[in-house]
Amino acid sequence: MTTLRLTGVQLRYVNKAFWRNPASAFFTFAFPLLFLVIFTALLGHFTVQIGSRTVNTSTYYVASMASFSVITACFNNIAAAVTFQREDGILKRAHGTPLPSASFIGGRILHAILVAVLLVAITAVFGRLVYSADIPTGLSLLRFVVALLVGAAAFCALGLAVTAVIPNADAAAPIINAIILPLEFLSGIFIPFGNNTPAWILWVAKVFPVRHFVLSMEAGFLGTAFNWTDVLVVAVWGIAGMLVAIRFFTWEPRQG
């Protein structure tokens, strides 16, 4: 069997394992929608000025929670799941089988990307029905899909890279959240960023991929300007993450 075919087999296995844990699957999809409802209930009755556009904050949160769902599915979940499998010895045993390493990791990455795409679709439909959010069409949809896929792949790569600094399973959640939560706050996911956002926050945010990914997602939902540079920055971070993962990723448990 070719590596590509084995990757497909591994993808089916990961997908079956995911859906056979209904509690985990349910909250994976419910979590972004729950956040969307909470934030719009608390802060969704205002407007934010983005460039020349005046955007209702309820619509703004549809875009930001779609971004949040992709990051959670691809960065948080990949980093946590791979760390737990490493410490449980699953990675070591899998590495000792004829299954190519690329197929094992590739199947998990592809599954995370598929979950991310499904999460964005659900968030978009929910936002359209409940908050009258726009859904990208035509050329905007094409650019949106490219930005979504590039972002999902990049955050998967970064999630794999982060496993190199996680010493054990117990440290996974604290380290992952310590890395990603500040960046999400600094990138306008939880607090709307408009024209009055302090310049230093925008400067710091644009160093990292989260802000650029959020901007590309906002372009699809809010009709703001789309910039291919944002997609390029996210892609560069993804390549960097993959290089770090290739260099420092380990199949052996760190503990015992």
Side-chain angles (χ1 to χ4, degrees), residues 106-129:
R108 179 160 293 279
I109 289 176
L110 288 175
H111 178 261
I113 293 174
L114 290 175
V115 170
V117 171
L118 186 55
L119 278 167
V120 171
I122 292 172
T123 303
V125 172
F126 184 85
R128 177 64 178 175
L129 295 176

Side-chain angles (χ1 to χ4, degrees), residues 205-216:
K206 287 187 177 181
V207 174
F208 300 98
V210 177
R211 178 58 181 166
H212 293 277
F213 180 62
V214 170
L215 289 173
S216 63

Side-chain angles (χ1 to χ4, degrees), residues 155 158 179 182-184 186-187 193 199-213 215 229-230 232-238 240:
F155 284 110
L158 291 169
I179 292 171
L183 293 180
E184 289 173 335
L186 286 171
S187 300
F193 277 12
W200 72 268
I201 292 181
L202 294 177
W203 186 89
V204 173
K206 287 187 177 181
V207 174
F208 300 98
V210 177
R211 178 58 181 166
H212 293 277
F213 180 62
L215 289 173
T229 303
D230 291 320
L232 178 61
V233 171
V234 174
V236 169
W237 270 93

Side-chain angles (χ1 to χ4, degrees), residues 54-67:
T54 300
V55 178
N56 190 288
T57 47
S58 62
T59 305
Y60 180 96
Y61 277 118
V62 174
S64 64
M65 287 303 108
S67 305

Side-chain angles (χ1 to χ4, degrees), residues 127-146:
R128 177 64 178 175
L129 295 176
V130 179
Y131 304 111
S132 300
D134 291 333
I135 295 180
T137 57
L139 182 59
S140 295
L141 177 60
L142 177 61
R143 293 185 302 206
F144 179 82
V145 170
V146 172

Side-chain angles (χ1 to χ4, degrees), residues 65-139:
M65 287 303 108
S67 305
F68 173 75
S69 66
V70 173
I71 295 169
T72 300
C74 296
F75 179 82
N76 299 47
N77 289 356
I78 283 279
V82 171
T83 298
F84 274 92
Q85 287 188 326
R86 184 190 70 199
E87 297 307 306
D88 285 343
I90 296 174
L91 292 190
K92 182 179 180 180
R93 293 195 296 272
H95 195 49
T97 68
L99 179 68
S101 301
S103 296
F104 183 86
I105 298 298
R108 179 160 293 279
I109 289 176
L110 288 175
H111 178 261
I113 293 174
L114 290 175
V115 170
V117 171
L118 186 55
L119 278 167
V120 171
I122 292 172
T123 303
V125 172
F126 184 85
R128 177 64 178 175
L129 295 176
V130 179
Y131 304 111
S132 300
D134 291 333
I135 295 180
T137 57
L139 182 59

